[in-house]
Amino acid sequence: MRAWGSARKWPAPRAYLPVSRVNPKAKKIVLWTLGALAVLLLVGLGVFLLKREQLLRYALGQAKQKIERRYPVTLTLGPARFTDLNSVQIDGIALVPKGSADTLLTARSVNASISLRSLFARRPVFSNLQIVRARLTAHKTEAGADNYGFLLKKRGQAAVARDTTQGTNYGLLANQLLEAGFDNLPDEADFRDFLVTYDSPRHQARLTMPQLTIDDGDLAGELAVVLDSVSNRIGLRGHVEPGDYEAQVEVYGQNRRPVLVPYVQRRYGARVQFDTLRLSLTGKEMDDENLTVRGAASAANFAVNHPKLATADIKVRRGGLDFVATLGRNHASLDKGSVIRLNRMELYPQLSVRLRPEIKRINPDPRMPTAKPYTGKLAGLEVAVKVESAETKTNDFFASLPEGVFDVLQGVQGTGTLQYRMSAALDMTRIDSLQFDSGLKKSADFSITRFGQVDLRKLNTEFPYTAYNDKGDSVKTFLVGPSNPDFVPFDQVSNYLKYAIVTAEDPRFFTHKGFMEKAFVKSAIQNIKEKRFARGGSTLSMQLVKNVFLTREKVVARKIEEALIVWIIENNRLVSKQRMMEVYLNIIEWGPSRYRWPNGERGVYGVGEAAQFYYGKEPRNLNLQESLYLASIIPKPKYARYSFDAYGDLRRSTRYFFRLIADIMAARGYIPQDEADNLSRSVSLTGPARQFMSFAARPDTTRTTAVADSSQFEPINLIDLLNTGGASPDEGVNTTAPRQDEEPAQGDKKGKDGGK
């Protein structure tokens, strides 16, 4: 037994033989093996180098057959060669549709990578496609023949029928376009100096791409586009998943220049532009006939300019749409779930558009078999729209309004919330069926704390007013208030005149909130029928706002701004009805602008000047006949000179107006019935107006069809709404609680003084 701590003897280390002493036989085997492998590799490489050209020709032949089986085309390939181990270059290609001598696509060279494994397996797979100096030339003839239509449908798929008795299925058509675009998109490609041209009897397009790359679904490139003389230089980036029909694409202007949208400028005369546009498609569903697509679109600095919309650009700094859209046979819709984002505001739209092609071939009114069929361009069009906004903070609401539409209201601030709603429906075959409803709902704590460019409360104070002529030139400026010797207070105007104007122009002025929707709808119907602003739908409140705060242009933007200003004034009771009527009576045009007063001023503006110009008397002394005549010429003061015939008597249309308005005034208690029954149909002009009258014979017209004075009001023309068809004279009026404290006392309406 070894004692503890005694030294231990460890075995000696094992000695290793030096390499030089390895078995020579083993060394020889290793060397021969390595050599054999090297020889095999060299032989394989030699065989590949000798056969790869043959395999390449085979691979290209397979690709050619695949394309020609899929499409009715002839594909011609130029000489091909390997540029390195697995890179191929083809010197020239051409794609010609069968049955046509027109070449659709050419390219100077095509470079690609080919999988060696797939090449030996005789199933060639190309990648990293690079096309240099490609030219895609598409065209369409007047007869409808083209050299590209085969790309828009899958193999064996029939074209979508158009202009048939059943109409076009827009769902199938859109589905074909989507699938053609996604299915023909390569996984990887690099286009260099790519030129696309399109020529048809209606459109010409030229698209130049210095470079466009597609890498595993990622898109990036630059484009120069000329379409119908509209030029753009744009950048493109995004991502596409062809198998899932999903895409996100961003289009933006280069060199800090906006992108102009083509076609709409040529077709509708409108300029539409944006700085950046983002489009996304998140999926599609196709049943037997209907296509449903989901996605989103948003734009930065979106702007629209059209002379009928506004005099300046209508701009939206940030706007977008999340859409759920359905397309089918003769119809398209924006469905529930869609959201419009307008700066800080959200709106929820629903839209349906349907076209009934059979309407073009039938008589729309079976009671009139001899009438001509309705054959207008919009025959059979049916449109229904509904929009409702989220409850929005007042400051966000006004900050979200588009620029160029609400100039007077820019900068308005307040408390509480606002919520907008609108619905409309129109059948172009039955235009009289137009339905329209619109409203702005305020919360209980809503109020205006700061006004914008103009303080709307200025109507309560003395202010300068400038009158303009038809050309937009100022005629004269005068104060509306006691400092003006021609100013006439409300209680110094004959009640005859007050109620004649209210009855003819706005019968619920003293009780409504600024709007009469039925009158607006009737005006819209007439404007649609005549395809022009033939008739206005303005209440006295709207006429006053237009003349005091806005320009004279007949554009949609001005009408929308006018409505919102009226809503603010009326719903917040910023100005009393009596003061509004007082200002109205003192600023409206009532005669020829070329007339000069002794003090050198031109034109006839306000009730004081009108009473002197026509009758040489004060407004409080006007009688019923004189008041009716003044009321009759308000919508068209420049046509007042044609009110008389060659014998100096009132024309038939004006006499009819006298009788109708007087009867309504009596029915409403404004004048005694016997005064209406004994009404004289003549007017004696005792002022300077007589020298301006035309007593020559000319055809008579009716008040409702005469051309309205373009520089003055767009009258409601409520004659056809009052006491007709058994309806209430005030039917369809947007009313509030009567404000009779602002209306002349009931005792002043009748009496021995004749309503003075």
Side-chain angles (χ1 to χ4, degrees), residues 141-156:
T141 66
E142 187 71 41
D146 60 60
N147 65 339
Y148 57 86
F150 63 88
L151 294 172
L152 303 181
K153 60 182 180 180
K154 289 186 175 182
R155 183 181 178 186

Side-chain angles (χ1 to χ4, degrees), residues 727-743:
S728 168
D730 305 325
E731 181 182 347
V733 178
N734 176 17
T735 62
T736 183
R739 298 164 66 177
Q740 295 185 7
D741 59 309
E742 299 174 3
E743 190 175 2

Side-chain angles (χ1 to χ4, degrees), residues 589-601:
E589 183 182 4
W590 241 312
S593 58
R594 66 180 184 277
Y595 175 70
R596 286 189 178 274
W597 295 90
N599 61 4
E601 290 187 344

